[in-house]
Amino acid sequence: MRAGRTLGCLLVVVLVTTAGIGPALAQSGQRSGQVVGQPDITIQSSAGELTPGTSVKLPLSITNRGQIDRAGPAQYQQRVTTARGVSLDFQDENSPIDVDSGPVSVGNVPTGTRGVSPVRVTIPDHLEPGSYELPVEYEYSYTRVVEFSQASVEYNDLTRTRTATLTIEVEDKPQFEVVDVESNAQVGDRNDVSVTLRNTGTKTAHDASVTAQSQTAEMSFGAGPKTSTGYVGEWNPDETKTVSYSVALSDDAPHRGYSLGLNVGYTDSDGIERTSPSLETGISTAAEQSFALENVSSTLRVGEDGSISGTVTNTGPKRVNSTVVRFADEGSPNVIPIERSVAVGALEPGDSASFRLPIEVSSEAEAGAKSLDFAVRYRNSEAETRQYTKLDVTADIAPERDQFDVDVQESTITSGGEQAITVSVTNELNQTVTDVEARIFADDPLDTGDDDTGYVESLEPGESVEMTFELSAAESATEKTYPISFDFRYDDERNKSQLSNTIRVPMEVTAADGGFPLSLVLITGSLLIGAVGVFWYRRD
């Protein structure tokens, strides 16, 4: 009984006009009399056994078995047996069962049974199996006595408050709770998450398995499924079991905690397959593993081998092992990695290491700044290979140049003459070259003869060497500048045979000393022939 409430009856006498009373009395065969009765209310729940640690809607029904102490016309019997304005108020102050609903309004309840809107109740986690009482205070109005005659009807209306008791059965079976979670989950990676649960029930779960379910699209298990199940077998009361799951978080997953749903499937002591109510736990995550490339420089040039170098920094949040910087660009066919990757070892968060990648630039490439994709491959804490691809490098590619500089120290030759020319050859490349074979070419009226090659075993970058070649000029050579050409076949630092660009240098042909220039001879001859012709013409 709720404190402060007084039980009692309120007598209300109502006078009713005779309109309609006569026919009712005539039909019943009574001219006057008294009908006496009252409702008889029972409240029940069909919830069955409830599980600790759950919140459920409690199904309710109310039965009115209405009592008739003195019979009379049917309409008056219905009047005295009907409970009007029924309301329910659950008294959970002294009960271990928590009711999450306030008072429930039921309305009028004639004789019979009717359903009542369910109320949500919570069964505490550690409630022992057994029967528990939940008091329910209910209140309604009714008519105790109907006095009737042909002239009038009087109703004796009362209000009644009573308390009923609902019996709640807490089942005797396995039940489970999460006691610990260990998470290595990381954005953009796949790592293990271990969940430890305890059987807090009173019965053994047989052939038990624990199924985890992702609650978000960004989290999956293994190669993509949204659920994963681990088998744990026999599970006794108060025993703990640990299940590990491979949890993957997508690259675009926000860095935050994630919710993991859990269900335990098992066979009970009667051999019936059961599934526990859903449990939920949270897993912590680490931010995506990331890297930065800094102090990047390049020695790239069209038609040559060069390199891109710099430092790679582990920007966290975890230590990585077997770190490798990779050239990952597939969109620049004329920029060709000589070595696609270089190892830099283990890196703690914040640590940096230097790297250098040799790269070839084909002669078809265009000079200018190029944006190139890079990646960092590494092994995570579980020794699994991962790759970070959100990196790019801007590299300047210099214009093409001659691989060798040629300086001919004797830049003139006399017509009809032959001489040795000395050529200074300088290595303009950024690498040491070996087995350098130089060849000289010339067209008429110049001739290189049979001795048209030179050789040097190696040349370091910027190193020069002198080579001597034979060159001759025909006597008929006109005084002017002619080109002579050089090319070089060599092995680069990868022992790959290369052929240089053709280099043209000028060679001036001059007249021989003490003689007449051929041009002057030709001009003089032409003048003499013309004079003879004029003389002959005058004789005629």
Side-chain angles (χ1 to χ4, degrees):
M1 181 183 303
R2 179 170 294 177
R5 183 186 295 274
T6 302
L7 299 180
C9 300
L10 175 64
L11 176 61
V12 179
V13 178
V14 181
L15 296 179
V16 182
T17 62
T18 58
I21 296 177
L25 294 178
Q27 185 177 2
S28 67
Q30 290 183 275
R31 292 180 176 275
S32 63
Q34 189 180 64
V35 176
V36 180
Q38 61 184 330
D40 183 6
I41 299 296
T42 304
I43 302 171
Q44 305 95 11
S45 174
S46 59
E49 292 185 328
L50 301 182
T51 302
T54 60
S55 178
V56 298
K57 287 186 176 181
L58 193 68
L60 298 171
S61 63
I62 187 167
T63 299
N64 181 2
R65 296 182 177 85
Q67 298 178 359
I68 299 295
D69 299 324
R70 182 176 296 174
Q75 70 269 30
Y76 298 142
Q77 290 187 173
Q78 183 178 6
R79 170 85 183 205
V80 298
T81 57
T82 296
R84 300 187 300 275
V86 179
S87 64
L88 309 179
D89 192 3
F90 295 86
Q91 309 293 300
D92 60 353
E93 292 87 351
N94 297 317
S95 173
I97 311 299
D98 295 326
V99 181
D100 302 329
S101 302
V104 177
S105 178
V106 179
N108 296 342
V109 181
T111 55
T113 299
R114 59 168 292 184
V116 178
S117 297
V119 295
R120 182 168 290 280
V121 298
T122 298
I123 313 301
D125 281 343
H126 302 291
L127 193 61
E128 294 292 332
S131 299
Y132 295 88
E133 293 183 346
L134 177 63
V136 184
E137 185 179 270
Y138 59 95
E139 183 179 90
Y140 59 89
S141 298
Y142 70 104
T143 300
R144 175 65 174 149
V145 179
V146 178
E147 299 263 1
F148 62 91
S149 65
Q150 288 186 333
S152 64
V153 177
E154 294 182 1
Y155 300 108
N156 178 8
D157 289 341
L158 304 174
T159 298
R160 174 178 287 171
T161 301
R162 294 285 189 270
T163 299
T165 300
L166 293 176
T167 299
I168 305 297
E169 297 290 340
V170 176
E171 61 186 341
D172 184 16
K173 68 174 186 179
Q175 58 194 56
F176 308 92
E177 68 174 1
V178 178
V179 295
D180 189 31
V181 177
E182 292 185 4
S183 173
N184 288 323
Q186 186 174 14
V187 174
D189 202 348
R190 185 178 67 252
N191 302 88
D192 285 347
V193 171
S194 297
V195 181
T196 301
L197 302 95
R198 176 178 284 113
N199 179 358
T200 59
T202 56
K203 295 290 185 179
T204 296
H206 306 277
D207 292 327
S209 59
V210 183
T211 298
Q213 182 174 10
S214 169
Q215 312 284 32
T216 177
E218 291 88 0
M219 184 172 69
S220 60
F221 299 93
K226 292 300 180 183
T227 62
S228 181
T229 301
Y231 180 79
V232 296
E234 201 86 349
W235 200 343
N236 297 316
D238 203 39
E239 183 181 9
T240 59
K241 298 283 187 179
T242 299
V243 187
S244 295
Y245 304 94
S246 179
V247 175
L249 291 172
S250 62
D251 291 345
D252 57 355
H255 177 212
R256 56 176 172 78
Y258 285 83
S259 179
L260 197 65
L262 299 166
N263 290 97
V264 180
Y266 63 94
T267 301
D268 66 15
S269 56
D270 296 323
I272 300 173
E273 292 185 356
R274 305 282 189 183
T275 301
S276 74
S278 294
L279 303 171
E280 191 166 298
T281 189
I283 61 173
S284 59
T285 65
E288 182 181 16
Q289 186 66 44
S290 61
F291 301 85
L293 299 182
E294 301 170 319
N295 304 318
V296 176
S297 62
S298 74
T299 60
L300 304 185
R301 183 179 291 272
V302 175
E304 294 184 21
D305 294 350
S307 66
I308 293 178
S309 59
T311 58
V312 57
T313 301
N314 177 5
T315 53
K318 295 183 178 182
R319 171 191 168 94
V320 294
N321 297 307
S322 303
T323 313
V324 173
V325 180
R326 296 187 65 249
F327 181 88
D329 198 279
E330 302 294 340
S332 300
N334 295 320
V335 180
I336 307 155
I338 299 170
E339 295 289 342
R340 188 165 285 273
S341 62
V342 58
V344 296
L347 292 175
E348 296 285 351
D351 283 356
S352 298
S354 299
F355 71 91
R356 176 183 176 275
L357 280 174
I359 293 174
E360 175 187 355
V361 181
S362 73
S363 57
E364 288 77 23
E366 293 185 2
K370 301 288 184 183
S371 179
L372 304 172
D373 294 332
F374 272 65
V376 175
R377 190 179 66 232
Y378 61 95
R379 289 189 182 274
N380 62 13
S381 58
E382 298 174 8
E384 295 176 324
T385 301
R386 298 289 183 262
Q387 183 163 271
Y388 181 76
T389 60
K390 301 176 182 179
L391 296 168
D392 58 68
V393 164
T394 299
D396 290 325
I397 299 179
E400 187 174 14
R401 65 180 176 184
D402 291 331
Q403 295 91 333
F404 297 89
D405 178 70
V406 174
D407 181 19
V408 179
Q409 298 180 12
E410 296 85 5
S411 58
T412 62
I413 188 171
T414 59
S415 58
E418 180 178 338
Q419 68 181 51
I421 62 171
T422 301
V423 178
S424 176
V425 177
T426 302
N427 179 7
E428 295 291 322
L429 299 171
N430 296 322
Q431 58 179 292
T432 298
V433 294
T434 57
D435 289 332
V436 182
E437 181 181 327
R439 184 178 294 272
I440 185 172
F441 300 92
D443 294 324
D444 287 337
L446 302 181
D447 185 19
T448 59
D450 296 330
D451 188 13
D452 58 355
T453 60
Y455 174 82
V456 63
E457 185 175 354
S458 68
L459 275 178
E460 294 181 359
E463 184 181 3
S464 299
V465 65
E466 290 186 349
M467 297 182 180
T468 302
F469 300 91
E470 293 295 329
L471 183 67
S472 62
E475 292 184 0
S476 59
T478 304
E479 289 185 77
K480 65 176 184 178
T481 301
Y482 295 87
I484 58 174
S485 302
F486 297 86
D487 64 24
F488 299 85
R489 183 168 294 279
Y490 61 96
D491 290 345
D492 61 18
E493 60 185 4
R494 293 181 288 148
N495 292 323
K496 182 179 179 181
S497 180
Q498 303 283 358
L499 182 64
S500 73
N501 300 334
T502 297
I503 303 170
R504 293 158 62 91
V505 297
M507 180 62 65
E508 184 179 357
V509 175
T510 61
D513 292 340
F516 291 95
L518 178 61
S519 57
L520 182 57
V521 171
L522 292 175
I523 293 172
T524 304
S526 298
L527 292 175
L528 289 174
I529 293 171
V532 170
V534 172
F535 175 74
W536 186 265
Y537 174 78
R538 287 181 177 176
R539 286 186 62 184
D540 291 344

